[in-house]
Amino acid sequence: MKTLIIVGFLGLILYNLGAGLYYLLVDHGNSKRTVNALTRRIGFSVLLILLVAAGIASGYIQPHGVQPG
């Protein structure tokens, strides 16, 4: 379930990034749709980081270190 939530957030982040690029190319600076899409992308990114941090703090997500090779 936690992996599905993380992948869902990453999908939303990529979608909003693509929407921002599309609006940038199509609108030619005549609307605020690009700014709104990129603002949503930042909001989803911050929310994802907070959810992961809360999951680690609560013990629901257990981080693992990188083992030296």
Side-chain angles (χ1 to χ4, degrees):
M1 183 68 178
K2 59 187 167 190
T3 304
L4 183 63
I5 292 172
I6 291 172
V7 169
F9 268 99
L10 290 175
L12 281 171
I13 291 167
L14 287 175
Y15 171 77
N16 281 299
L17 184 62
L21 176 63
Y22 174 75
Y23 296 143
L24 179 69
L25 295 174
V26 171
D27 291 346
H28 302 292
N30 295 327
S31 75
K32 294 177 100 177
R33 294 193 303 177
T34 302
V35 173
N36 291 337
L38 295 177
T39 301
R40 283 191 305 270
R41 181 189 66 89
I42 292 169
F44 286 131
S45 298
V46 168
L47 184 59
L48 177 61
I49 290 169
L50 291 175
L51 284 174
V52 170
I56 291 171
S58 69
Y60 187 68
I61 297 174
Q62 298 178 359
H64 57 84
V66 178
Q67 302 298 322

